[in-house]
Amino acid sequence: MTEELDGIIDLALKGDKKAIARLITLVENDEEKAREIVKRVYPLTGKAYVVGITGPPGSGKSTLLDKLIKLARDEGHRVGVIAVDPTSPFTGGALLGDRLRMQRHSTDEGVFIRSMATRGALGGLAKATNDAIKVLDAAGYDLIFVETVGVGQIEVDIVKTADTVVLVTVPGLGDGVQAIKAGLMEVADVFAINKADREGVEIVYLELKMALEFEMDRWKELGWEPPIVETTAFTLNGVRPLWEAIKRHREYMESSGRLRERRAFRAREEVKTIIASSIARKVEERLAGGEAKELIDGVVEGKLDPYSASQIVMEKLKEDLWR
């Protein structure tokens, strides 16, 4: 299998789309192979710029992204897209709705689009999203869009993935800013009010403007005030100004040194996540063993409290982790 994996990686690095798709499938489904793949491709990463497209369900993220891909291609970018979809209850895979909306780009050799299922992951992203980004980066895609599933205000994991975060909202969500400000308002770099031909767009604009003013001291310190762009993706109105706002934010990130800071933050968070996942797996293995049954029985029978039981398990884990 090692020789076969080496062959797939070599083809992917040459831009073979089938090989790229195969690698992403492997990083989604096989944690051991994911480790090997990332080790191989990681020295070739770091050149791609990642733009996150997030926001509530029904805000038109996919249609807007479809138009942004066109503008990016017109400027010569090789574009990778990871569209995180809800998980199918029947297959466990992505429902593919987002990829269907961008179907016209599927025959473009300079565009690679992949839907990924959340598989129960919170925060709007699939667990393997970061590894899939690394595969696309190494394969030569210099601009990568990540569209989140659209889960509301807890959908803040995108800031651990993207260099620029675009928050898409629409009129008619009720108290829209209240619905999103607890999480997403704090991580968005650019705001897009999509479906701006609807009634109520002025109200949404004012709500966003007022919400940003509450954070004005922080934005002044950073040297960037998130722009608010009104768009109607279906008719292309406002799409180019949104693309220009994304490019301005990239220039700001690169010239101010904030890009390196954000990527350092992401690297730290990714390492922490991998460590936590490894420890959790070791805990599961320990608790599934025969000696753990006596420990759990002690907790159930009240002979041992959960904190003491946890401490015993952690002491045993030290032997596993450091030998």
Side-chain angles (χ1 to χ4, degrees):
M1 184 61 199
T2 301
E3 291 183 5
E4 181 184 349
L5 184 59
D6 287 343
I8 297 171
I9 291 173
D10 289 340
L11 286 172
L13 296 180
K14 294 175 182 176
D16 186 293
K17 285 191 173 184
K18 289 183 179 179
I20 294 168
R22 178 65 176 150
L23 285 187
I24 293 176
T25 298
L26 288 173
V27 300
E28 279 189 281
N29 300 323
D30 192 319
E31 188 169 344
E32 185 176 340
K33 289 189 179 64
R35 291 171 182 267
E36 289 303 314
I37 291 167
V38 171
K39 284 180 183 178
R40 279 285 308 274
V41 306
Y42 196 76
L44 301 173
T45 63
K47 297 180 285 294
Y49 194 83
V50 182
V51 177
I53 308 292
T54 189
S59 56
K61 297 188 295 295
S62 299
T63 306
L64 197 56
L65 178 52
D66 173 68
K67 313 304 182 187
L68 290 172
I69 294 170
K70 174 66 166 58
L71 294 177
R73 288 293 293 143
D74 288 345
E75 295 186 6
H77 292 286
R78 295 192 72 223
V79 180
V81 179
I82 299 173
V84 183
D85 283 334
T87 303
S88 168
F90 303 105
T91 66
L95 289 176
L96 305 182
D98 293 323
R99 188 162 60 180
L100 288 173
R101 294 187 186 95
M102 294 175 268
Q103 191 62 43
R104 69 186 177 119
H105 299 292
S106 61
T107 57
D108 186 339
E109 282 301 312
V111 178
F112 181 93
I113 301 172
R114 175 63 177 249
S115 288
M116 299 182 74
T118 57
R119 300 188 182 184
L122 299 176
L125 297 180
K127 185 180 178 183
T129 301
N130 282 326
D131 290 344
I133 289 171
K134 293 180 182 67
V135 170
L136 291 176
D137 188 353
Y141 293 92
D142 64 292
L143 181 65
I144 300 172
F145 288 104
V146 179
E147 181 192 346
T148 69
V149 71
V151 296
Q153 68 185 36
I154 65 168
E155 193 176 330
V156 295
D157 278 359
I158 189 65
V159 77
K160 301 176 184 177
T161 300
D163 300 314
T164 294
V165 177
V166 179
L167 171 60
V168 183
T169 188
V170 291
L173 290 179
D175 192 357
V177 173
Q178 289 296 327
I180 61 176
K181 72 177 184 181
L184 290 176
M185 284 292 294
E186 298 175 5
V187 303
D189 303 301
V190 178
F191 292 90
I193 306 175
N194 198 30
K195 304 182 183 180
D197 53 343
R198 287 184 176 182
E199 185 178 348
V201 65
E202 298 88 356
I203 295 173
V204 177
Y205 183 91
L206 289 173
E207 287 178 336
L208 287 172
K209 198 69 178 172
M210 286 189 293
L212 286 173
E213 286 177 358
F214 283 118
E215 298 287 331
M216 191 54 67
D217 289 343
R218 181 164 69 94
W219 296 123
K220 285 182 178 178
E221 183 180 343
L222 293 175
W224 172 263
E225 181 180 347
I228 304 171
V229 184
E230 296 178 15
T231 63
T232 304
F234 187 73
T235 62
L236 291 177
N237 287 343
V239 176
R240 182 166 290 280
L242 176 60
W243 173 238
E244 294 299 326
I246 292 170
K247 292 196 294 182
R248 286 199 308 275
H249 185 256
R250 178 176 183 171
E251 291 170 2
Y252 154 75
M253 292 290 283
E254 292 174 342
S255 62
S256 66
R258 290 282 297 160
L259 182 60
R260 180 174 177 79
E261 289 178 17
R262 182 168 290 190
R263 290 183 174 181
F265 165 77
R266 292 210 313 260
R268 184 169 61 250
E269 291 298 309
E270 188 172 9
V271 169
K272 283 166 56 179
T273 299
I274 292 170
I275 291 172
S277 177
S278 299
I279 292 175
R281 188 171 58 252
K282 290 288 187 182
V283 169
E284 284 294 333
E285 291 172 359
R286 277 290 184 179
L287 293 179
E291 62 181 301
K293 185 179 183 306
E294 183 178 346
L295 195 68
I296 299 301
D297 287 344
V299 175
V300 173
E301 295 166 6
K303 299 176 181 177
L304 191 66
D305 67 90
Y307 286 100
S308 298
S310 301
Q311 188 61 40
I312 293 170
V313 173
M314 290 301 297
E315 290 297 327
K316 292 183 178 296
L317 277 178
K318 288 179 183 178
E319 304 171 8
D320 297 335
L321 292 171
W322 300 113
R323 65 185 175 189

